[in-house]
Amino acid sequence: MYSATVFIISKRKELSIKYKKLIEALEQEVYVIPSLSEALGMIQKIEPELLIVSDTIDENLPDFCAKMRALTCNVRPVIVAVSRSGSVDDRLEILESGADDFMDESISPKEFQARIKAHLRRYLENSFNPVTYFAQKSLTVRALKKLTASTKSSAVMFAKIANIGIYREIYGEIAYQKVLQTLGAIVNSALGAQDFAGHFFDDEFIIITTMQKAEKVASFLTFAFDNVLSRFYSERDFENKFTLLSSDIKEEERETLMRLEICALEAFEGRFGTYEQIVNALFELIKLCRGKSKSCYVIDRPKLRGKVEACGSKNKVLIMEKDEALSLLLETLCSLNSLNVRVCRDYGDFFKTYDDFAPDVVLLDWGDSDKKSGVEISKRLKKNPENAPRVIFSSSVHNKKEILAAGADFYLPKPYEADVAIRWIKKFLF
């Protein structure tokens, strides 16, 4: 549930206190601001959803409403004017100047609450995605901005559906929308009334909850998403655990099935000065989920003690190619690109060379068409995916499905341009 921010701009203390209590009873956040200069500064910083402006302010009420409408054109808050005047002409002038509603000070508390609720409901309904029922990006950004000014501690979670772009391209828009709709239902079932879920991009989401709930929510979402995944794929694709975009004569990276990646960190007073800092921290944290075969999550926790060890850069390339001319060309190009390269031309010696060299990327050939030596090597390398090197599989035997099923990360049919192989080697290294 999104808690809206309401500004009450009035010099009359008793009136402000009365309205504040009535709105807080609706579980909304309320600020009472007595001066115009203070109100203008806070509106730019906090971006409230609703402004209640009393005619007790020092400025002409219609002029102030017109000024607020101009200054908040990007945020577009609801403006409610409150006045002692019962004149129809005064009401019309205020409404024509930009106010969304006019209330007489004698309005009953119940009607006041009902009209405020109606304005906020319409405002928020227009800010929610009709497929997922999450807040749209503009409201999500506003929720993050509020965290930077809050004194409370909250957990901010970032969730994205990896490989959904490939899925959308293969299965179409309707299937893509169905995935988002299903995820929306799963997320909304896991969150409470005080939690928030909103889009950051079409298939990337922000969830705001408490740190006590964050890990439980992340664990449930990843588990639930993997359990409904089979509904979105054909039986063949789900059994293969990857999808194919093109024919055997076109190179293609191995794209696994969709998975849900989630990260969470704590936002507390003073940790983040702007919402962009929160987003950047989440983007860095979510990188730890890359390369996993299933949905996963990572929680950012303070380290009590520890030692940071130097991490060497990845630049080792092992080329398994029997063609002497091609292997020499690839070896030369790798050296020119400052890569640590080694060549193996005998499948029987491959694992001895592999164990001695410990490469980060292996450029592997099919081998003899009947023996399938390269396919068997790829399967063995990928038995432990967490510690396996990236495998680029070049082959004159055009069987993309079998090669990718053996664990290859990229399918490169022969003949190919050597520069293409170098480009993908560098991509997997860096």
Side-chain angles (χ1 to χ4, degrees):
M1 177 182 174
Y2 180 78
S3 179
T5 301
V6 179
F7 280 8
I8 300 173
I9 306 172
S10 173
K11 293 182 71 175
R12 287 179 58 194
K13 190 173 182 180
E14 66 278 7
L15 187 70
S16 301
I17 293 173
K18 172 187 172 183
Y19 291 158
K20 185 175 187 290
K21 288 181 178 178
L22 290 173
I23 297 171
E24 285 179 338
L26 302 177
E27 298 183 348
Q28 310 300 332
E29 189 176 12
V30 185
Y31 290 83
V32 175
I33 307 171
S35 68
L36 287 176
S37 57
E38 186 180 353
L40 291 172
M42 291 185 66
I43 286 170
Q44 297 298 320
K45 181 179 179 181
I46 299 181
E47 299 181 356
E49 283 74 32
L50 190 144
L51 299 175
I52 298 176
V53 188
S54 167
D55 62 357
T56 60
I57 59 175
D58 295 330
E59 191 170 338
N60 177 268
L61 189 53
D63 291 344
F64 181 77
C65 290
K67 186 184 294 184
M68 284 298 99
R69 185 57 68 215
L71 290 174
T72 60
C73 58
N74 294 329
V75 183
R76 190 60 175 83
V78 177
I79 299 176
V80 177
V82 180
S83 175
R84 295 193 185 111
S85 174
S87 168
V88 174
D89 290 338
D90 289 344
R91 295 186 181 202
L92 291 176
E93 184 183 5
I94 290 171
L95 292 171
E96 288 173 358
S97 67
D100 297 288
D101 196 5
F102 180 94
M103 296 185 191
D104 192 286
E105 285 187 9
S106 62
I107 188 172
S108 69
K110 287 187 177 180
E111 183 182 351
F112 175 83
Q113 285 182 315
R115 287 166 73 170
I116 294 298
K117 279 180 67 175
H119 282 301
L120 291 176
R121 183 178 65 249
R122 283 193 294 270
Y123 184 95
L124 294 176
E125 283 176 353
N126 291 332
S127 301
F128 277 75
N129 186 288
V131 176
T132 58
Y133 295 102
F134 295 164
Q136 299 281 30
K137 182 177 179 179
S138 59
L139 201 60
T140 302
V141 170
R142 205 171 305 165
L144 292 174
K145 286 182 177 179
K146 289 180 181 180
L147 286 182
T148 62
S150 176
T151 57
K152 298 179 181 178
S153 172
S154 301
V156 187
M157 304 173 67
F158 179 64
K160 62 182 291 187
I161 308 174
N163 292 340
I164 195 171
I166 299 294
Y167 177 85
R168 186 180 193 177
E169 191 170 345
I170 294 173
Y171 284 85
E173 189 66 26
I174 294 176
Y176 168 78
Q177 296 287 339
K178 197 68 179 178
V179 173
L180 295 182
Q181 187 180 46
T182 303
L183 179 61
I186 293 171
V187 172
N188 286 322
S189 70
L191 300 183
Q194 302 304 316
D195 300 326
F196 171 86
H199 286 264
F200 199 76
F201 294 109
D202 286 347
D203 42 42
E204 297 181 352
F205 317 99
I206 295 288
I207 297 170
I208 300 175
T209 183
T210 63
M211 281 304 294
Q212 291 78 12
K213 288 176 59 178
E215 188 160 1
K216 290 182 179 179
V217 170
S219 177
F220 170 75
L221 295 182
T222 51
F223 170 80
F225 187 79
D226 282 347
N227 273 271
V228 300
L229 195 59
S230 60
R231 301 180 187 179
F232 306 124
Y233 288 95
S234 66
E235 186 175 344
R236 184 185 65 182
D237 283 349
F238 188 73
E239 287 178 355
N240 288 339
K241 302 300 181 187
F242 63 88
T243 53
L244 296 178
L245 270 174
S246 56
S247 64
D248 285 346
I249 61 172
K250 296 284 289 182
E251 67 267 14
E252 184 173 342
E253 186 175 2
R254 187 180 194 271
E255 295 288 358
T256 56
L257 305 183
M258 291 181 292
R259 64 185 183 277
L260 189 61
E261 298 177 351
I262 300 175
C263 68
L265 54 77
E266 185 176 9
F268 49 82
E269 185 177 11
R271 182 175 185 183
F272 300 106
T274 64
Y275 90 91
E276 289 92 346
Q277 291 177 355
I278 299 177
V279 172
N280 289 337
L282 290 169
F283 282 176
E284 287 299 313
L285 192 58
I286 200 73
K287 291 179 182 179
L288 296 175
C289 293
R290 284 181 182 173
K292 307 299 181 184
S293 58
K294 292 185 177 182
S295 297
C296 61
Y297 66 89
V298 58
I299 308 292
D300 176 46
R301 292 190 177 92
K303 294 179 176 60
L304 297 179
R305 62 180 181 272
K307 181 180 178 181
V308 178
E309 297 180 359
C311 181
S313 60
K314 295 182 177 181
N315 74 334
K316 291 185 177 182
V317 182
L318 175 59
I319 298 172
M320 178 61 244
E321 175 58 64
K322 295 181 71 174
D323 186 308
E324 188 171 348
L326 179 56
S327 63
L328 180 60
L329 173 61
L330 291 169
E331 183 181 15
T332 302
L333 287 173
C334 284
S335 297
L336 290 173
N337 282 275
S338 302
L339 302 178
N340 187 355
V341 60
R342 188 170 297 184
V343 174
C344 179
R345 297 192 182 94
D346 187 341
Y347 288 96
D349 293 336
F350 176 84
F351 280 104
K352 182 180 184 302
T353 306
Y354 176 83
D355 291 338
D356 291 341
F357 189 52
D360 304 300
V361 173
V362 174
L363 179 57
L364 187 62
D365 185 67
W366 178 286
D368 296 334
S369 58
D370 53 342
K371 292 184 179 179
K372 300 183 180 180
S373 301
V375 173
E376 296 304 317
I377 287 174
S378 182
K379 288 180 180 178
R380 186 171 166 185
L381 288 173
K382 293 293 186 175
K383 275 188 177 180
N384 185 2
E386 298 297 326
N387 299 317
R390 306 302 294 272
V391 174
I392 298 173
F393 203 117
S394 68
S395 175
S396 55
V397 179
H398 295 168
N399 192 336
K400 182 186 292 187
K401 180 180 176 181
E402 184 174 5
I403 288 170
L404 294 178
D409 296 286
F410 187 73
Y411 167 77
L412 186 62
K414 288 182 175 180
Y416 61 83
E417 297 289 337
D419 287 345
V420 174
I422 299 301
R423 186 170 70 247
W424 279 95
I425 288 172
K426 292 172 71 175
K427 178 180 177 181
F428 286 143
L429 286 174
F430 310 122

